Amino acid sequence: MKWVYPTKLGGAGAGGEAKPLLFKSKLKWVGLFGLVLSAFSLFTHFLLARYSVEATVSEYKSSITIFSWRPIFENANSPPPPGLYRRLWAPVKHLESLNPYANPRANYVAPPPRTDRFIFVRIRGGFHEIRNSICDVVVVARLLNATLVIPEIQSTTSSKGISTEFKSFAYLYSEDQFMTALVGDIRVVKTLPKDLKGARRKKEIPSFKIPASASPYFYLHNVLPVLKKHAVVELVVPDGGCLQALLPPQLEEYQRLRCRVAFHALKFREEVQELASRILYRLKSSGRPFVAYDPGMTRDALAYHGCAELFQDVHTELIQHKRAWMIKRGIVKGNLTVDSAEQRLRGLCPLMPEEIGILLRAYGYSWDTIIYVSGGEVFGGQKKLIPLHAMFENVVDRTSLSMVWELDKMYGREANLVDKPKTAPPLKVEKKPDAWKNTGPRPRPLPPPPARFKYPYNIEGWWGWVAESDNEPESTVMELRINAHKLLWEAIDYTICVEADAFVPGFDRDGRGNPNFASLVMGHRLYQAAFLKTFRIDRKVMAKVLDEIRDHLYQVNGTWIASVRRHLRRNIVDGLTEELTRSKPLSFLSFPVAECSCSGGSQPGAVPANTSTPLSQPPLRKVLASIAKCPSWMDRNATSNPRDKESDEGDDVYEDDPDSPDAAVLFRQVGDSNEGSGVEMSNKEETQMDDQEELEGGER
């Protein structure tokens, strides 16, 4: 049997010969088409990948995800009802008249063009301690009429392997901006003169280890005589904050100098500011407001306040290790074992991310609200953030909103600290005795196995020592580098938290009982834009409220939700009393009112005469009443919040809005079943609850 190939029918002009087709079957055409389509698809993917990398340099519009199957920032074009928007995002009316005004007032002279006294400062500590200390040393230099050498930040210079492009102060802040902004206050130089620099190398200049919160008397009677004699002194600030927070009334100009340093002179270096601006743009690109949340859960703070039992297993032991270290050095005065439940009820322990999530959902924030989690360290790891991720779809942080190459650019060129993995030693095979060879077959005891070799990853980090030693080992070079990186991470988080539409602190104390990162953020927001929503949660009250529903956290009733909303609303303003009485005596920057503010309209904090709230009582009432009027050149309208108009339009909408979400949908996503829920309420009951809140001063 012979196969006959198909031929084209040709005419006689072609010689009568048939021409074979190029392909004999349709299957080959299909294969060719698939090959071409695959090549085109591969080319398109490479093109899109290259374009997306280049596009992220200028803008970030791609979908950012925490979990790959969960898209975030959905429903960007569906804003909440006006009344609900007013409750969640509208400016705080009683603080709208506060304007930043840290300019010098009367009787403030410029510094001399040249002085023969120099102050050299070494600062140790974390982000908030460094920031507080820099503001204090500037005031000290002004007080002693001396030239300030740009401070040295030991947290970075002691970390080996960081980029050599940046030295100490310049690793975090801009030196040029710092010097330029303080021209009218003090004289700042980058280095000491040559003769004094040589004396410092030989350790011939006098040095002072400054105690925390030293008084002006200490500097005028102890440091100034030595400064006049030697022309230079070295100040070592080990614990952050080298000048008392509350200065006498005659030194009020020095308080405003602190504000000018913290809020105007201390600008982050260009690479840090650029990345923070990109992340902030990516957060706001959807057109929706966002909440910034700082957990405040650091190991030092938990150990200092005795909150070890809030964790489990090895994390409790780690906190106890740190507390024992603090007791040994006199930082903590007390017993090693503390009742964490009692400390929590006293408000001395942070609220867990799960508890913060429940409070935000009860207040009315929906499941798709954008939550930015700040902080260089969340003790307990991502496991503690899982409940927060479950309640809010759009939980993000700096790592999910930035690229690896962007972080590397901010770090600069760093030395490679990756050690080569050590190979296991060769096994020693013992030679069998001759007697074993001559004897007949019988069971023989096996030799003991060789000792297991410990690879580097088994001995580095807390998992390598916590079960084998009572003493914590010294930090490795990589851990020192990470500590330096934490300064940059917190600088980014600080910028974003200050600009956030709402801010929620989980804890406001550090590992020495002083105001922490969150307190600085709240103080900066109070100075720059006091009208922005900042939740000042009373942890003592909320701990008791949360314990009432401990057995049914996600099945609450309307009465409980009403009490939470009432507390959060009231404490947005009334919580300032707590900051004034507890935080300001320890850190002026946590509450820079009224020294660095002015009133642009009606008196801030005014309340009706027939109400009785902490706002209408001293000492907060006295402080707000002492705020001076803004000068005529300050135009209040130029600094007004652009959302004032739309928020005012919805002042009375929420009570009558039929689309307002009721309590039944607080702890479930859209489309979930609400069967078996214990929080069902009708719209009428919800309206009555909000009306009652208005009568009791909830939204004053």
Side-chain angles (χ1 to χ4, degrees):
M1 183 177 182
K2 294 183 180 180
W3 292 98
V4 179
Y5 296 102
T7 59
K8 283 186 177 182
L9 298 178
E17 297 180 0
K19 295 183 179 179
L21 291 175
L22 182 61
F23 294 105
K24 285 89 177 174
S25 65
K26 295 182 179 179
L27 184 62
K28 294 184 179 180
W29 283 103
V30 173
L32 178 62
F33 178 76
L35 185 62
V36 173
L37 188 62
S38 300
F40 178 76
S41 176
L42 187 63
F43 173 77
T44 304
H45 277 76
F46 276 120
L47 186 64
L48 289 177
R50 180 179 179 183
Y51 173 76
S52 62
V53 172
E54 294 177 352
T56 54
V57 177
S58 58
E59 59 182 358
Y60 193 88
K61 294 184 179 179
S62 61
S63 177
I64 308 165
T65 58
I66 292 295
F67 303 104
S68 58
W69 62 89
R70 290 185 180 181
I72 73 166
F73 299 177
E74 295 177 345
N75 303 325
N77 297 323
S78 56
L84 181 60
Y85 181 91
R86 173 179 174 267
R87 184 212 294 174
L88 301 181
W89 308 108
V92 183
K93 289 188 175 181
H94 288 284
L95 299 177
E96 281 183 315
S97 59
L98 284 181
N99 289 328
Y101 185 53
N103 293 358
R105 312 291 165 87
N107 301 325
Y108 189 84
V109 297
R114 187 175 185 86
T115 61
D116 56 353
R117 305 172 188 172
F118 294 88
I119 295 179
F120 181 81
V121 187
R122 287 188 294 152
I123 300 173
R124 300 172 185 172
F127 177 86
H128 66 282
E129 294 168 329
I130 291 174
R131 196 172 182 90
N132 276 324
S133 299
I134 293 175
C135 298
D136 289 350
V137 297
V138 171
V139 173
V140 170
R142 172 81 185 190
L143 183 67
L144 302 181
N145 193 21
T147 298
L148 176 66
V149 181
I150 287 186
E152 183 178 292
I153 301 174
Q154 291 293 305
S155 295
T156 58
T157 57
S158 63
S159 304
K160 299 179 181 178
I162 66 172
S163 176
T164 57
E165 301 176 17
F166 315 105
K167 292 295 183 181
S168 191
F169 186 90
Y171 185 74
L172 186 59
Y173 295 108
S174 170
E175 290 183 344
D176 296 334
Q177 170 66 22
F178 183 74
M179 298 174 65
T180 304
L182 297 177
V183 167
D185 298 295
I186 62 171
R187 184 169 179 263
V188 184
V189 295
K190 291 188 177 182
T191 59
L192 287 169
K194 292 184 179 180
D195 54 339
L196 297 179
K197 190 182 298 183
R200 179 176 177 268
R201 291 197 192 98
K202 298 176 183 178
K203 298 183 179 179
E204 296 177 352
I205 63 176
S207 178
F208 289 87
K209 186 176 181 180
I210 307 299
S213 301
S215 65
Y217 179 89
F218 172 84
Y219 292 100
L220 293 174
H221 291 79
N222 294 281
V223 179
L224 184 57
V226 179
L227 180 61
K228 290 180 178 179
K229 181 179 179 180
H230 296 272
V232 60
V233 293
E234 181 180 18
L235 306 181
V236 180
V237 186
D239 302 326
C242 59
L243 183 66
Q244 66 184 37
L246 300 180
L247 297 177
Q250 62 269 23
L251 298 180
E252 186 175 335
E253 285 297 338
Y254 291 89
Q255 300 289 55
R256 280 188 277 273
L257 177 56
R258 275 173 162 163
C259 293
R260 291 196 294 275
V261 177
F263 307 133
H264 300 281
L266 285 180
K267 298 295 183 182
F268 302 116
R269 62 178 167 92
E270 184 179 356
E271 294 83 358
V272 178
Q273 193 65 41
E274 180 183 359
L275 181 55
S277 300
R278 288 183 182 179
I279 294 178
L280 195 60
Y281 169 76
R282 293 164 189 173
L283 275 169
K284 294 186 175 181
S285 60
S286 63
R288 298 171 54 187
F290 71 96
V291 178
Y293 162 53
D294 181 70
M297 295 168 54
T298 63
R299 184 185 172 200
D300 291 351
L302 294 168
Y304 180 88
H305 295 281
C307 305
E309 296 175 3
L310 300 181
F311 296 82
Q312 296 177 350
D313 304 330
V314 73
H315 293 97
T316 299
E317 191 170 350
L318 284 170
I319 295 174
Q320 291 298 84
H321 266 280
K322 194 67 176 181
R323 184 171 176 84
W325 180 87
M326 290 179 170
I327 293 175
K328 185 178 180 180
R329 284 158 180 79
I331 301 174
V332 173
K333 296 180 181 179
N335 299 325
L336 177 62
T337 303
V338 182
D339 187 353
S340 299
E342 182 181 351
Q343 291 289 91
R344 178 177 172 276
L345 291 177
R346 293 171 57 191
L348 298 178
C349 290
L351 295 176
M352 292 296 167
E354 180 182 19
E355 296 172 333
I356 291 293
I358 290 174
L359 296 180
L360 291 178
R361 292 301 300 270
Y363 192 70
Y365 289 100
S366 60
W367 62 272
D368 60 344
T369 302
I370 303 173
I371 308 289
Y372 180 88
V373 180
S374 73
E377 174 190 2
V378 178
F379 190 78
Q382 294 296 319
K383 179 178 69 174
K384 290 297 178 181
L385 295 175
I386 290 177
L388 187 65
H389 282 271
M391 282 182 275
F392 293 95
E393 186 83 357
N394 302 327
V395 178
V396 294
D397 58 10
R398 64 180 174 278
T399 58
S400 58
L401 293 170
S402 60
M403 304 293 182
V404 177
W405 63 268
E406 291 177 320
L407 294 172
D408 292 339
K409 180 182 178 182
M410 180 180 64
Y411 300 149
R413 296 182 180 180
E414 296 180 329
N416 186 12
L417 298 181
V418 179
D419 298 328
K420 295 182 179 179
K422 298 179 180 179
T423 58
L427 298 177
K428 296 181 179 180
V429 181
E430 298 181 359
K431 187 178 181 181
K432 296 180 180 180
D434 295 337
W436 283 28
K437 299 179 181 179
N438 299 332
T439 56
R442 62 177 180 177
R444 302 167 185 169
L446 296 175
R452 183 175 66 88
F453 177 74
K454 290 188 176 181
Y455 292 91
Y457 59 81
N458 294 124
I459 59 177
E460 292 182 358
W462 58 262
W463 54 85
W465 63 266
V466 70
E468 300 180 3
S469 174
D470 293 334
N471 298 321
E472 186 170 352
E474 296 182 359
S475 299
T476 63
V477 178
M478 182 59 71
E479 289 172 344
L480 292 175
R481 172 182 286 183
I482 293 176
N483 288 337
H485 288 176
K486 286 180 181 179
L487 292 178
L488 305 180
W489 299 343
E490 292 185 344
I492 292 174
D493 292 340
Y494 184 86
T495 303
I496 295 174
C497 289
V498 169
E499 298 293 337
D501 298 276
F503 178 70
V504 184
F507 200 48
D508 59 356
R509 289 293 181 268
D510 64 0
R512 293 182 179 271
N514 298 321
N516 67 351
F517 173 90
S519 293
L520 286 188
V521 170
M522 290 190 287
H524 197 152
R525 290 169 66 89
L526 187 61
Y527 168 80
Q528 178 176 297
F531 56 83
L532 291 178
K533 264 193 169 51
T534 301
F535 292 96
R536 300 171 177 91
I537 302 175
D538 188 337
R539 294 184 301 277
K540 185 176 181 180
V541 174
M542 281 296 100
K544 296 178 181 179
V545 171
L546 288 167
D547 279 353
E548 295 176 0
I549 60 164
R550 184 61 57 186
D551 298 331
H552 45 87
L553 283 175
Y554 300 97
Q555 294 181 349
V556 296
N557 54 39
T559 303
W560 185 88
I561 293 176
S563 65
V564 170
R565 289 180 180 174
R566 188 178 304 113
H567 171 82
L568 294 179
R569 279 181 171 180
R570 291 170 63 93
N571 274 55
I572 288 176
V573 175
D574 295 346
L576 293 172
T577 304
E578 183 75 7
E579 295 182 23
L580 174 62
T581 56
R582 287 191 66 232
S583 298
K584 187 169 184 175
L586 299 174
S587 173
F588 173 77
L589 297 181
S590 65
F591 195 90
V593 178
E595 294 86 346
C596 302
S597 301
C598 66
S599 176
S602 60
Q603 192 65 31
V607 294
N610 58 349
T611 61
S612 177
T613 67
L615 182 63
S616 61
Q617 300 173 3
L620 181 61
R621 181 77 169 187
K622 181 179 179 181
V623 171
L624 296 179
S626 65
I627 299 177
K629 286 285 185 179
C630 292
S632 57
W633 56 266
M634 293 184 66
D635 185 4
R636 178 65 183 92
N637 295 329
T639 59
S640 62
N641 186 15
R643 291 176 299 186
D644 287 352
K645 183 178 179 180
E646 60 184 81
S647 64
D648 291 340
E649 291 175 354
D651 280 352
D652 301 322
V653 177
Y654 181 74
E655 285 73 18
D656 300 326
D657 188 0
D659 298 328
S660 299
D662 57 16
V665 298
L666 285 178
F667 298 107
R668 65 182 181 86
Q669 295 184 3
V670 177
D672 293 346
S673 174
N674 63 344
E675 295 181 2
S677 174
V679 294
E680 295 184 0
M681 288 177 57
S682 64
N683 288 334
K684 182 178 180 181
E685 292 173 340
E686 175 77 4
T687 301
Q688 293 175 353
M689 182 180 69
D690 285 313
D691 290 340
Q692 184 66 21
E693 290 183 43
E694 297 290 338
L695 292 175
E696 295 179 3
E699 185 73 47
R700 295 176 306 278

